[in-house]
Amino acid sequence: MNRLLGFAMMWAALYGSITFGAGQSVEDRLMSAVAALPAWWYIGFRIRREIRGIREDARAARRRREAKKLMGRDELRTAVTRLVSRSRRPVQCGVAGHPPRHVCLAVSPEVSLADLVEGISDWYGSPHNLAMGGCVDASADGTTGLALLEPFGPHVVDMRAWAYGSWWIGAGTVSDDEGVRRVALVAERPAPVVDGLPADAS
């Protein structure tokens, strides 16, 4: 109904514009311009509406793409295993502003921290705490899992850490503009030092 009304307004405005525009006087031409205003208003309204619809569709598509990337407990464990089983080579996180040498995994909001920790612990043993309830271990360094805290800075609320070969595995929660959310990541771990030399030194 609104679309039909808009078309009727455009037709009346354009017809009036043509009628008055055919005159030779300044008054007729002015009336022609005034008569065309509703048509131009409706055209502008329709263009803005279409642009808004395109933007909303793009946002919805982006949300669908992001939702597909979110992983449940078993999917996260599989992704972690795939990462830590690869040969040691530099990794890069795709999150803007994050430092290098780690990879963040997209955690579904339906996965609780307890489920996440339990799922990883089933394969990699008991973790140690780097942060709990907003209290971060001030003594954390490269040998205890600092690389798991660095990507989130002061936003870390909880962080559990597992050491596995040349990798750290982390699971926790962070608080930022999006609220409190679960995070999981894999970060590079320095080789253990034995007799003053890295354990993997030849």
Side-chain angles (χ1 to χ4, degrees):
M1 182 66 183
N2 290 336
R3 182 172 294 182
L4 290 176
L5 179 60
F7 287 150
M9 290 172 57
M10 287 182 63
W11 180 86
L14 291 175
Y15 182 79
S17 177
I18 294 172
T19 301
F20 289 116
Q24 298 297 320
S25 66
V26 174
E27 290 79 4
D28 286 344
R29 292 177 182 175
L30 180 60
M31 289 297 295
S32 172
V34 172
L37 287 178
W40 288 113
W41 174 87
Y42 183 73
I43 291 172
F45 168 77
R46 293 297 303 180
I47 290 175
R48 288 193 300 271
R49 187 170 182 177
E50 291 299 325
I51 291 174
R52 185 166 61 248
I54 291 172
R55 289 176 176 171
E56 290 175 353
D57 289 344
R59 285 194 292 267
R62 184 168 58 253
R63 286 194 294 267
R64 287 194 296 270
R65 289 195 301 271
E66 292 173 351
K68 289 180 180 179
K69 296 178 182 178
L70 298 178
M71 293 181 279
R73 171 177 143 167
D74 294 339
E75 293 172 303
L76 285 164
R77 187 168 58 186
T78 300
V80 166
T81 300
R82 187 184 307 116
L83 285 167
V84 301
S85 299
R86 58 189 284 176
S87 59
R88 176 63 179 268
R89 59 180 182 270
V91 293
Q92 180 68 45
C93 183
V95 179
H98 277 201
R101 296 186 293 278
H102 81 280
V103 175
C104 285
L105 302 171
V107 183
S108 170
E110 298 178 0
V111 179
S112 68
L113 179 58
D115 283 342
L116 184 55
V117 171
E118 181 182 1
I120 298 175
S121 296
D122 286 345
W123 285 13
Y124 299 99
S126 300
H128 67 270
N129 286 330
L130 289 175
M132 181 177 289
C135 297
V136 179
D137 183 0
S139 65
D141 58 22
T143 64
T144 58
L146 180 62
L148 299 174
L149 301 173
E150 289 177 332
F152 311 106
H155 302 294
V156 175
V157 178
D158 299 283
M159 185 61 68
R160 311 291 182 264
W162 295 260
Y164 184 82
S166 57
W167 301 98
W168 287 111
I169 302 169
T173 59
V174 297
S175 177
D176 53 23
D177 294 339
E178 300 177 6
V180 177
R181 57 187 176 88
R182 260 74 66 196
V183 294
L185 68 160
V186 171
E188 296 177 19
R189 177 181 177 228
V193 175
V194 179
D195 295 331
L197 293 173
D200 58 355
S202 55

